Amino acid sequence: MQVSSVNDVKIYNLSYGRSLPEWLSDRKKRSLQKNDVDIRRRIELIQDFEMPTVSSTIKVSRDGQYIIATGTYKPRIRCYDTYQLSMKFERCLDSEVVTFEILSDDYSKIVFLQCDRYVEFHSQHGRYYRTRIPKFGRDFSYHYPSCDLYFVGASSEVYRLNLEQGRFLNSLQTDASQNNVCDINPAHHLFATGTTEGKVECWDPRTRNRVGTLDCALSSVTADTEIDGLPSISALKFKGALHMVVGTTTGQVLLYDLRSSRPLIVKDHHYGLPIKSIEFQEQLDLVISADSRIVKMWNQNTGEIFTSIETEHEINCLCLYPNSGMFFLANESPKMNTFYVPTLGPAPRWCSFLDNLTEELEENPENTVYDDYKFVTKKDLENLGLAHLIGSPLLRAYMHGFFMDIRLYHKVKAMANPFAYEEYRKDKIRQKIEETRAQRVQVKKLPKVNKELAMKFIEEEEAEEQVQRKKKGKSLPNILRDERFKVMFENPDFQVDEASEEFRLINPIVSKASEKRKKKLKQLQEHRDSEQEAEELEGKPSDAESSESSDDDRGWVEEVQKQHKLLRREQKLKLMERDQQIHSKPKFFEIKAGEEFKSFKDAARKQKLLKTTLEDRLKHEEKTGMLHLSDTTVGSKQLTFTLKKSEQQKKRQEAEKQHHEERRRLRRSAGHLRGKAARGKPFF
C-alpha cells in the first residue's frame, strides 16, 4: 500500500506493489510471500483483481455486491463478488468490448457493445442473444420507462432497440456527422448525445423531437485555455435534474445548468488529452474527471482543486464506488488500480477494516528505513577511522557508499573530533556577523540566459545610481528585477542570437547609442563637479559636441554599411556552395527502348549540330553521304536525303535477308530432290 498526500488530502493506493503471475502454484506463492517483504506487506483487497494484459472498462452493480470489468487479451469479462472478495466468474468473448451496461441490480442482465458492431445480451448462465447494429457503435444508454436502448456511433443516426418488443424502432436523425457519447437524465429522462463537432443535442424520448442544442466547442475556448483543433465531445454525465457535465477531446470539462446555454465553470486539465470519465461526489459537491494521465477532483461551485492523482499507466475508465471514498481505475496494465480517499467518505461495508487501518497509520506515522541510518562514503569512513568495518554487519553497502547506524555515527564523530561543537558555534557566530554587516561584498550572479545583456544592464544601472546619488533623485526601475521581463533571462527561447542577420544589422546602432549614453553620463558628472551643469543644459550644444555627434553618426552608418557588405558576401558564398553541391551530384540519363548506349560524345555531337546553322548542317550531311545535291535541266537544284537507319531497322533487315537466303536454299534442295525422284534415282 502506498500513501501520498496531495493538497493535504491523504490518498491510499491499495493496489500498489508487485503482482504474482497466474501460472504460479499456491506452494510457490506461499514461499515467495515468506521470503519477499514487499509481497508479504502488500494488500490484496480482491483476489485476482486484474486482467491478462489491459483493462478497458469497469462498473459496479446497483446493489454494490458485484464489480464487473472487461479487458484483453483474449477479450473477456470478469465478475468479482465483494462479499467473497474473489472472482465469481469469467467469460471470454469473440471481440473486444467498447462499453457495457448493467440492466439489473446484480449481474443477471448485462448488455455489451462490441467493436465489431455486435450487441450481446448476457444472463446468469452466459450469452442469451446477439444482434448487430448498422454502424460501428461508440456508446449506448438504457431508457428504463420504455425499455429502449439508444446506440450512438460512426453515424448521424441514433439507433433505438426496444427490448420489450424485441425489434429496432425508428432512429433519431441528428445534425452531426458522428456521435461519440450519450447519456439519459435519471430524473426526467432527457436524452443527450455528444457529437464530433463539439455540440450536445438534447432529445425528448416521449415525442422523439430535439429540444435543444449546446455549442460546447465555442464555450470551451477561454482566455486561460490553449486548444489545438476542434474540441469534440468525449464524455457526458448528468447530475440531478438541472446539471450536466461535458468533457472534450482537448482536455476541458464544462459544467452546465440546463436552463442556460453558457457553462457555469470551465475546468482545464492542461494536458490536452481527451476526458475519459466523469463522476460526482454528492457529499462534498465534487466533480471527478479523468483523462488518460490524471484524475482531478474539484469543487463544482468554485472550481477549486480538491486533490489529484497521477498513475504510471494510461487510464481507460474511472468507476466510483457509491457512498464511499473508494474508486477503481481501468488502465493500460494488467492490474486494475484501487484507491481509497478517507476524506471523500468511509470505506465500503465489505472492506470496513480499511478505516481502522488508515486511522492507525495516521496516529502512528511510519518512519522510513533511512531515518535511523546515516549514509557515508569510503572517504568519510577513512576520516573517521572506521575503514576496518567494511564488510561487517555494522555497514550496509549501498550504491557508492554505506549505511551505518546513526547512533554509532554520532558516537564516533564525537570521539574523532571533540571540538566539533565549538567549531559549529564559531561558524554560526561568523554567519550572524556577516548578516549584520551592511556594506559587505555581494557577489552578483548572472543569469543563465542572455548573460551579456544582463551584464550591460548591471553596468548601466551602476552608472545611473552614481549619477542619481549625487543628484539625490529617485532611482529608475531595473529590468533584471522586473517580473514582466523575468522570462527573458530564464527561458532559453529568448536567447539573443548574435550570429543572426537582424542582430548584426542593429548591433552597431545599439552599441553607438549605449556609447553615447555613457559619454553623456560622464559629461554630466564632470559638469556637476565643475558646477557648470546648468549653463550647458540651458544653452545650445557647443561646436565640439556637434562635431562629435556628427562623427558618431558617420561612424555607425559606416559600420552598418560594412555589415551589409559582409552579409551580401556570405549570401554569395552560400549560393556558390549550393551550386557546387548541385553540380557535383551525379546525373542519370534514361535510354529509350531499342537503343544502345554508345557514349556521351554522340549526345554532345548532336547538341553541337543542333546549335549550328542550316548551311553548316547541310554541308556536314553531304560529306557523310546522307545528302545528295544535283542540278536539274531547268536550272534548279535538287536535294536527295537518305534517312539514317536505326539499330532496330538494321537488325530487322539482316534477319529478313537471312530468312530469304534460307528459303532460297530450301527451295534449291527441294528441287534437287524432285529431279532425282523423276529420274528414278534413290534419295540417298
Side-chain angles (χ1 to χ4, degrees):
M1 183 173 63
Q2 185 186 35
V3 184
S4 60
S5 178
V6 180
N7 201 13
D8 295 334
V9 177
K10 288 289 184 66
I11 302 169
Y12 297 90
N13 187 357
L14 305 179
S15 57
Y16 181 77
R18 292 185 298 172
S19 59
L20 299 176
E22 294 182 354
W23 43 266
L24 285 180
S25 61
D26 295 339
R27 184 177 180 181
K28 185 66 175 177
K29 289 180 181 179
R30 286 194 296 270
S31 64
L32 285 174
Q33 289 177 356
K34 291 179 182 178
N35 299 328
D36 198 332
V37 180
D38 294 336
I39 296 177
R40 188 165 62 250
R41 289 183 177 178
R42 70 191 179 103
I43 296 178
E44 193 174 11
L45 194 63
I46 301 175
Q47 188 177 4
D48 298 331
F49 194 63
E50 57 187 13
M51 285 288 170
T53 307
V54 172
S55 55
S56 57
T57 53
I58 183 169
K59 290 185 179 181
V60 180
S61 60
R62 285 200 295 271
D63 59 3
Q65 183 178 354
Y66 301 101
I67 301 172
I68 301 174
T70 63
T72 56
Y73 180 81
K74 299 179 180 179
R76 67 190 65 205
I77 60 170
R78 286 182 174 179
C79 179
Y80 298 92
D81 191 348
T82 56
Y83 291 173
Q84 304 296 329
L85 297 179
S86 61
M87 184 168 61
K88 187 172 184 63
F89 65 85
E90 178 183 14
R91 298 172 187 169
C92 289
L93 306 173
D94 296 336
S95 58
E96 296 181 9
V97 176
V98 178
T99 184
F100 68 94
E101 188 75 27
I102 305 173
L103 304 185
S104 60
D105 292 339
D106 53 3
Y107 68 93
S108 58
K109 295 180 182 179
I110 311 174
V111 182
F112 296 96
L113 175 63
Q114 299 177 349
C115 62
D116 56 353
R117 296 194 288 126
Y118 274 102
V119 180
E120 286 193 3
F121 299 87
H122 282 235
S123 60
Q124 289 180 339
H125 63 82
R127 188 169 73 185
Y128 177 76
Y129 186 72
R130 192 183 191 200
T131 186
R132 207 170 189 183
I133 57 177
K135 297 289 184 179
F136 289 97
R138 296 175 182 173
D139 196 10
F140 73 95
S141 295
Y142 182 62
H143 187 244
Y144 283 91
S146 62
C147 298
D148 288 344
L149 285 174
Y150 289 80
F151 295 94
V152 298
S155 173
S156 60
E157 296 180 341
V158 180
Y159 304 110
R160 296 192 303 146
L161 176 62
N162 188 271
L163 300 185
E164 184 180 7
Q165 302 177 20
R167 65 186 182 93
F168 282 96
L169 305 179
N170 293 332
S171 303
L172 304 179
Q173 183 64 42
T174 64
D175 294 336
S177 59
Q178 295 178 358
N179 297 283
N180 294 333
V181 291
C182 63
D183 194 22
I184 295 178
N185 193 296
H188 45 68
H189 305 290
L190 180 70
F191 173 75
T193 174
T195 67
T196 55
E197 287 80 8
K199 295 182 179 180
V200 175
E201 295 187 9
C202 298
W203 294 73
D204 188 354
R206 297 170 297 180
T207 60
R208 298 186 298 279
N209 293 326
R210 187 188 298 107
V211 294
T213 303
L214 287 175
D215 192 352
C216 302
L218 185 62
S219 302
S220 63
V221 181
T222 60
D224 300 332
T225 58
E226 296 181 1
I227 296 174
D228 296 332
L230 179 66
S232 301
I233 308 302
S234 60
L236 185 65
K237 190 76 173 179
F238 280 104
K239 183 192 177 184
L242 298 176
H243 291 90
M244 178 180 66
V245 178
V246 179
T248 64
T249 55
T250 53
Q252 286 80 33
V253 183
L254 297 87
L255 176 62
Y256 280 95
D257 190 322
L258 294 180
R259 296 168 293 184
S260 174
S261 60
R262 293 183 179 181
L264 301 176
I265 293 176
V266 179
K267 196 67 180 176
D268 195 351
H269 275 218
H270 298 291
Y271 283 112
L273 300 172
I275 304 298
K276 295 292 186 72
S277 300
I278 298 173
E279 296 287 345
F280 298 101
Q281 213 284 336
E282 301 288 345
Q283 287 77 14
L284 300 177
D285 291 335
L286 296 178
V287 178
I288 306 174
S289 55
D291 58 18
S292 60
R293 187 171 178 178
I294 192 172
V295 178
K296 286 194 174 184
M297 305 179 189
W298 45 280
N299 191 289
Q300 67 176 14
N301 299 319
T302 60
E304 295 180 355
I305 286 290
F306 179 73
T307 187
S308 61
I309 301 170
E310 293 191 44
T311 60
E312 297 181 7
H313 307 281
E314 293 186 4
I315 301 170
N316 291 328
C317 182
L318 166 70
C319 177
L320 182 66
Y321 196 89
N323 302 321
S324 73
M326 180 179 290
F327 60 92
F328 308 100
L329 293 179
N331 48 29
E332 294 288 327
S333 66
K335 184 179 293 186
M336 291 180 284
N337 292 334
T338 305
F339 290 91
Y340 175 51
V341 183
T343 313
L344 296 180
R349 185 175 57 181
W350 49 272
C351 58
S352 57
F353 60 89
L354 287 177
D355 290 330
N356 300 329
L357 183 62
T358 54
E359 288 177 2
E360 290 177 2
L361 290 176
E362 290 180 359
E363 292 176 359
N364 303 317
E366 184 182 358
N367 296 327
T368 58
V369 180
Y370 306 106
D371 287 346
D372 298 332
Y373 289 87
K374 173 71 175 177
F375 181 80
V376 290
T377 61
K378 190 174 182 180
K379 188 176 180 180
D380 296 336
L381 292 174
E382 291 175 355
N383 295 334
L384 295 173
L386 299 178
H388 62 281
L389 294 179
I390 297 176
S392 64
L394 297 176
L395 296 178
R396 299 181 183 181
Y398 184 76
M399 294 178 68
H400 64 285
F402 305 89
F403 275 115
M404 65 181 301
D405 195 289
I406 191 69
R407 296 170 294 179
L408 177 62
Y409 175 78
H410 287 316
K411 287 182 181 179
V412 176
K413 185 75 173 175
M415 293 173 62
N417 191 3
F419 302 102
Y421 177 74
E422 293 295 331
E423 293 178 0
Y424 171 77
R425 185 169 173 272
K426 289 179 181 179
D427 291 338
K428 281 294 182 182
I429 292 171
R430 193 185 308 110
Q431 290 177 6
K432 291 291 184 182
I433 293 172
E434 288 179 356
E435 289 176 0
T436 54
R437 287 176 182 171
Q439 297 180 352
R440 66 180 186 274
V441 178
Q442 295 181 356
V443 180
K444 295 183 179 179
K445 294 182 180 179
L446 293 175
K448 295 181 180 180
V449 183
N450 291 326
K451 291 184 179 180
E452 296 182 358
L453 185 62
M455 192 182 298
K456 176 184 172 184
F457 287 146
I458 290 171
E459 291 176 356
E460 291 180 357
E461 183 188 8
E462 291 176 353
E464 289 178 358
E465 281 180 359
Q466 291 179 2
V467 176
Q468 295 295 336
R469 195 180 297 117
K470 293 186 178 181
K471 193 177 177 181
K472 295 181 181 180
K474 293 183 178 179
S475 60
L476 297 175
N478 186 14
I479 294 179
L480 293 173
R481 292 192 292 267
D482 197 336
E483 292 293 333
R484 296 173 296 175
F485 304 98
K486 185 179 180 181
V487 185
M488 191 170 66
F489 301 99
E490 294 178 354
N491 194 346
D493 295 337
F494 292 93
Q495 177 68 42
V496 177
D497 187 8
E498 297 183 359
S500 63
E501 180 179 350
E502 294 81 3
F503 180 81
R504 291 172 63 181
L505 290 176
I506 203 173
N507 188 41
I509 304 173
V510 177
S511 59
K512 290 295 179 182
S514 62
E515 288 178 3
K516 282 185 181 181
R517 194 184 303 110
K518 290 179 182 178
K519 285 182 181 179
K520 188 174 180 181
L521 290 172
K522 189 176 180 181
Q523 288 175 2
L524 289 173
Q525 188 174 358
E526 290 176 355
H527 290 324
R528 276 196 203 90
D529 295 339
S530 60
E531 296 181 357
Q532 295 178 358
E533 180 185 2
E535 295 178 3
E536 291 294 331
L537 291 174
E538 292 175 1
K540 294 182 179 180
S542 60
D543 296 337
E545 291 179 356
S546 60
S547 62
E548 286 179 4
S549 61
S550 61
D551 292 341
D552 293 339
D553 294 340
R554 196 180 302 111
W556 72 260
V557 169
E558 292 176 356
E559 185 68 23
V560 172
Q561 291 176 354
K562 183 180 177 181
Q563 292 294 334
H564 271 292
K565 290 179 181 179
L566 289 173
L567 289 171
R568 283 197 296 269
R569 193 178 304 162
E570 290 177 0
Q571 290 176 359
K572 287 181 180 178
L573 289 173
K574 288 180 181 179
L575 289 173
M576 291 173 64
E577 290 178 358
R578 196 181 303 140
D579 294 339
Q580 289 178 0
Q581 291 177 358
I582 293 171
H583 292 308
S584 62
K585 291 181 179 179
K587 294 184 179 180
F588 298 93
F589 299 91
E590 184 179 358
I591 301 174
K592 294 182 180 179
E595 293 186 0
E596 294 182 358
F597 175 74
K598 294 181 179 180
S599 66
F600 288 105
K601 295 181 180 179
D602 295 341
R605 188 167 60 252
K606 288 181 181 179
Q607 293 291 334
K608 189 176 181 180
L609 286 174
L610 290 174
K611 293 181 181 179
T612 58
T613 60
L614 178 62
E615 183 180 2
D616 295 336
R617 288 202 299 272
L618 293 175
K619 289 180 181 179
H620 177 73
E621 292 178 356
E622 189 175 0
K623 288 179 182 179
T624 55
M626 296 177 63
L627 175 67
H628 179 68
L629 180 62
S630 61
D631 296 331
T632 61
T633 57
V634 185
S636 60
K637 293 184 179 295
Q638 182 179 359
L639 290 174
T640 305
F641 292 92
T642 304
L643 296 177
K644 186 178 180 180
K645 296 180 180 179
S646 63
E647 297 293 335
Q648 288 184 348
Q649 291 176 350
K650 289 180 180 179
K651 289 180 180 179
R652 194 181 299 112
Q653 289 179 358
E654 290 178 359
E656 289 177 356
K657 189 176 180 181
Q658 291 178 2
H659 179 65
H660 288 310
E661 289 179 357
E662 288 179 1
R663 292 190 64 181
R664 194 181 297 113
R665 192 164 50 251
L666 288 172
R667 281 196 298 270
R668 286 178 184 173
S669 60
H672 181 65
L673 292 173
R674 282 196 300 270
K676 283 185 177 182
R679 290 193 295 271
K681 295 181 179 181
F683 293 151
F684 304 101

